[in-house]
Amino acid sequence: MRIEKNKFIEVLQSSVNNLLNHKEEVNALNVFPVPDGDTGTNMSLTIKSALEEVKRSVENDLGKLAKDTARGSLMGARGNSGVILSQYFRGLAEGSADLKNFTPAEVAHVLTQASKTTYNAVMKPTEGTILTVGRETAEFANRFSKKESTDILLFLGEVLEAGKKSLANTPNLLPVLKEAKVVDAGGQGLIYILEGAYLALKGQGVQSLTGEEAKDLPSQKVSSREKISTDDIQFGYCTEFMIQTESNDVDGFRNKLKPLGDCLLVVGGEGIIKTHIHTNHPGKALEYAVELGQLKDIKIDNMRFQHEEVLLKDELEEMRSQQVESPQEDKDYGFVAVSMGEGLSEIFKEIQVDQVIFGGQTMNPSTQDFVKSIQAIPAKTIYLLPNNSNIIMAAEQAAEISEKDVHVIPSKTVPQGIAAMLAFNEESDPHEVEEAMTQAIQEIRSGSVTYAVRDTTIKNQEIKKGNFIGLYEKEITSFGDDLEETTIQLIRDMAFDDAYMVTIYYGEDVDIQDAEDLKAKLEEEFEDLDVDIIPGGQPLYYYLVSIE
């Protein structure tokens, strides 16, 4: 069997559609019954980014198309599951580099390489996850490819069934899955992707039941859009294009465009340079670009006529002020933090964070989101604060591909991120800064209060849908029908002998008077603790708690 470009796109589209059709089902496989299951969403956005890259590709060779798939998934990767999926595609591309025919033996080789790459991407691989499903599927493919049958479709069908059996066995390998009575969400997502590809090769490509495949990838930029005056728009044309070129001088091209406007992003490699700029002279930008090669996917929007398409007013003002204060000179340090909620975002800006990426649970920023923020900061050394365990891998991936000196501080919560920033000393050298920030996140105890989206049993505790849930790190320590009592019990579980302060960030669904009442009760019970309440404005979580 030979696969041409149109068939390759059809196969990838079928995989995208199959995953999108089951996205919410994959999201619901979250071990904890909290409203932040996002594995299906993250994997969907990652593979959609891969599909868009392939559709833009000028290649026809199967190996090169697989490479484009890997590159697209890399830039669109969101959350740990998305990053692992991007590495799976990277392995598929490496295994497909010299692929000539689509035979069982070659498919087995490709799947094996994909599995090896995902394991290499994870520092401490956990069995019973997407890693296991990918590996056991590849191992079966290798065994089965040695049999006499050469029917590729029969072979792929048997491999898919082996993958499904591996998925069904994940609860036996990971006790937390068995207790929650779910299979691994990432593994389930991978099976839907493989199933979609198989059905397309059979001529039964999956059609979207959601219509979602036609939508643009969502932006992580906006938290609360506001009507803006055209007077606030310094550069009126949002200009985007791609250059097909043999030039590798991305930095030179970027420097040439800098005087033309702001919000500049130039990324490239392997014959393609992607460009985004806000400018008053789009024609001049295109003139510079055409000197390097052929242009494609040109898009120019007049932002004065399309208010909803521009960046937030405060982001524009911030970028303009940076240009005025330090148009040429780099500063020593820059910071990028992920945050959800206006109050939390403002706190990060007040403590010297240059770029706040709107995101968190249910809305994990992509690798490209980090890359854009890194590019926007004129600093010699940049630190990334993911503030969520599910975002760390995307941040690390961005740091790896960035040409700048970028370090990831592995903050898993917003309170940890704030503590890290408060530990920053601009007089220190880069190594000392990283060491101090990393140490600071280890001295903070973090908790959160949300609600259960389904009935479940965890550690013999029966939690009902709608119950309030208190989480200390990754453990459910309190739950019940009373928000205040659930929160107080969480803080009892988090408190320790030398603790001196508890900080509570209340969310968008909490009335300030309720937060004040909670503070009063905590001060009465914990006489040795200073209690501070701060409006965080975060969705989904009623309270975020920090104890130090």
Side-chain angles (χ1 to χ4, degrees):
M1 177 184 290
R2 290 188 61 82
I3 299 179
E4 305 297 337
K5 181 176 181 179
N6 287 342
K7 188 64 176 180
F8 187 91
I9 291 176
E10 179 186 335
V11 169
L12 190 55
Q13 181 73 71
S14 182
S15 291
V16 170
N17 290 346
N18 202 39
L19 181 56
L20 285 173
N21 291 345
H22 297 91
K23 180 179 70 174
E24 294 308 323
E25 174 190 329
V26 176
N27 283 341
L29 292 174
N30 195 15
V31 171
F32 285 156
V34 294
D36 59 10
D38 50 14
T39 299
T41 299
N42 287 336
M43 295 183 76
S44 296
L45 292 172
T46 301
I47 192 173
K48 282 172 69 178
S49 180
L51 176 62
E52 293 304 316
E53 183 73 15
V54 171
K55 286 181 176 179
R56 290 191 294 264
S57 176
V58 297
E59 301 293 347
N60 289 300
D61 178 76
L62 180 60
K64 292 180 179 177
L65 288 171
K67 201 169 185 178
D68 287 333
T69 305
R71 181 169 57 181
S73 65
L74 168 69
M75 297 308 291
R78 298 169 189 267
N80 293 344
S81 58
V83 172
I84 291 173
L85 181 60
S86 75
Q87 295 306 299
Y88 190 84
F89 281 125
R90 176 185 169 191
L92 291 177
E94 291 171 352
S96 303
D98 300 316
L99 196 65
K100 301 301 180 186
N101 298 304
F102 204 60
T103 66
E106 288 178 317
V107 170
H109 167 71
V110 170
L111 292 176
T112 299
Q113 186 59 45
S115 173
K116 287 180 179 178
T117 305
T118 56
Y119 270 88
N120 290 338
V122 180
M123 187 173 297
K124 295 180 180 179
T126 300
E127 296 302 330
T129 64
I130 183 176
L131 301 177
T132 305
V133 176
R135 175 177 56 78
E136 292 183 344
T137 301
E139 289 172 349
F140 175 86
N142 274 291
R143 293 194 302 270
F144 196 67
S145 68
K146 294 179 174 60
K147 296 190 175 182
E148 294 182 4
S149 173
T150 57
D151 186 313
I152 186 65
L153 290 178
L154 173 63
F155 170 77
L156 293 175
E158 292 295 330
V159 170
L160 178 61
E161 287 305 310
K164 291 180 178 179
K165 290 179 181 177
S166 174
L167 174 67
N169 190 53
T170 54
N172 295 322
L173 301 176
L174 202 55
V176 69
L177 295 176
K178 176 171 282 190
E179 186 176 27
K181 300 178 181 177
V182 294
V183 296
D184 179 67
Q188 179 68 82
L190 178 61
I191 290 300
Y192 281 133
I193 290 170
L194 297 177
E195 181 181 57
Y198 168 66
L199 291 173
L201 291 171
K202 283 182 65 178
Q204 301 171 5
V206 179
Q207 301 301 308
S208 172
L209 302 178
T210 65
E212 192 173 342
E213 83 286 350
K215 298 178 182 177
D216 291 333
L217 295 179
S219 169
Q220 296 287 343
K221 296 175 184 174
V222 293
S223 55
S224 57
R225 291 188 184 272
E226 52 187 66
K227 293 293 182 180
I228 65 174
S229 166
T230 56
D231 294 337
D232 293 311
I233 301 177
Q234 182 177 357
F235 301 104
Y237 295 92
C238 176
T239 306
E240 300 178 68
F241 53 84
M242 296 179 65
I243 312 170
Q244 185 179 342
T245 178
E246 296 180 359
S247 173
N248 291 317
D249 188 15
V250 176
D251 289 338
F253 180 58
R254 183 186 300 116
N255 290 333
K256 201 169 186 179
L257 291 182
K258 275 183 180 179
L260 296 184
D262 66 4
C263 298
L264 176 63
L265 171 69
V266 180
V267 293
E270 301 182 17
I272 293 290
I273 295 178
K274 302 179 184 179
T275 303
H276 171 280
I277 186 173
H278 291 176
T279 179
N280 289 327
H281 304 284
K284 182 65 70 174
L286 295 177
E287 284 180 24
Y288 291 157
V290 80
E291 294 173 1
L292 296 182
Q294 296 185 15
L295 305 187
K296 56 182 294 189
D297 295 340
I298 300 171
K299 181 172 177 285
I300 301 174
D301 290 326
N302 186 330
M303 296 188 295
R304 294 184 175 92
F305 294 152
Q306 298 181 345
H307 294 174
E308 293 304 317
E309 296 301 319
V310 298
L311 295 175
L312 288 173
K313 177 181 177 181
D314 59 349
E315 291 179 337
L316 285 170
E317 291 175 344
E318 182 181 352
M319 294 186 78
R320 286 201 297 272
S321 67
Q322 288 176 353
Q323 291 176 342
V324 171
E325 293 173 6
S326 55
Q328 299 296 331
E329 296 183 6
D330 286 350
K331 57 181 183 175
D332 289 331
Y333 299 113
F335 302 92
V336 179
V338 179
S339 177
M340 183 179 287
E342 286 187 32
L344 296 175
S345 297
E346 285 303 316
I347 291 170
F348 278 115
K349 290 176 183 178
E350 290 171 3
I351 55 178
Q352 302 185 59
V353 169
D354 301 272
Q355 293 280 315
V356 178
I357 302 176
F358 181 73
Q361 288 301 141
T362 75
M363 194 179 292
N364 294 161
S366 68
T367 300
Q368 190 164 24
D369 289 324
F370 279 107
V371 170
K372 287 181 180 179
S373 293
I374 291 167
Q375 294 287 68
I377 302 175
K380 297 174 184 176
T381 304
I382 296 174
Y383 299 91
L384 308 183
L385 295 164
N387 298 334
N388 185 299
S389 59
N390 202 34
I391 300 175
I392 292 175
M393 290 185 72
E396 291 174 338
Q397 197 155 251
E400 182 179 336
I401 65 178
S402 175
E403 296 177 357
K404 294 188 176 184
D405 181 26
V406 181
H407 304 267
V408 178
I409 306 299
S411 53
K412 297 180 180 179
T413 66
V414 166
Q416 285 186 351
I418 293 172
M421 284 304 304
L422 294 176
F424 166 62
N425 181 355
E426 61 184 359
E427 301 299 325
S428 301
D429 64 41
H431 175 71
E432 291 171 338
V433 169
E434 183 174 8
E435 194 173 62
M437 295 179 77
T438 302
Q439 179 63 33
I441 69 176
Q442 297 171 359
E443 297 173 356
I444 293 290
R445 292 192 178 186
S446 301
S448 57
V449 182
T450 184
Y451 61 92
V453 296
R454 57 178 166 81
D455 293 346
T456 191
T457 300
I458 294 180
K459 293 186 177 179
N460 297 319
Q461 299 179 110
E462 292 187 6
I463 300 172
K464 300 297 183 183
K465 180 179 179 180
N467 277 167
F468 298 108
I469 296 176
L471 297 106
Y472 172 26
E473 306 296 351
K474 290 290 186 179
E475 295 279 334
I476 295 178
T477 65
S478 64
F479 64 92
D481 296 325
D482 187 282
L483 174 59
E484 184 176 79
E485 181 54 37
T486 300
T487 306
I488 292 174
Q489 183 57 52
L490 169 66
I491 292 171
R492 291 181 185 130
D493 296 329
M494 293 174 60
F496 56 98
D497 289 342
D498 296 329
Y500 63 90
M501 173 176 285
V502 56
T503 305
I504 301 173
Y505 305 91
Y506 59 91
E508 63 181 7
D509 294 323
V510 176
D511 183 81
I512 185 171
Q513 186 57 55
D514 291 337
E516 293 284 0
D517 292 343
L518 174 63
K519 176 182 179 181
K521 290 193 176 182
L522 288 172
E523 288 176 332
E524 182 179 347
E525 179 169 343
F526 299 94
E527 296 179 355
D528 295 332
L529 283 179
D530 290 330
V531 182
D532 195 11
I533 61 167
I534 299 173
Q538 70 274 4
L540 299 180
Y541 288 84
Y542 300 103
Y543 296 111
L544 299 178
V545 180
S546 168
I547 297 185
E548 53 191 299

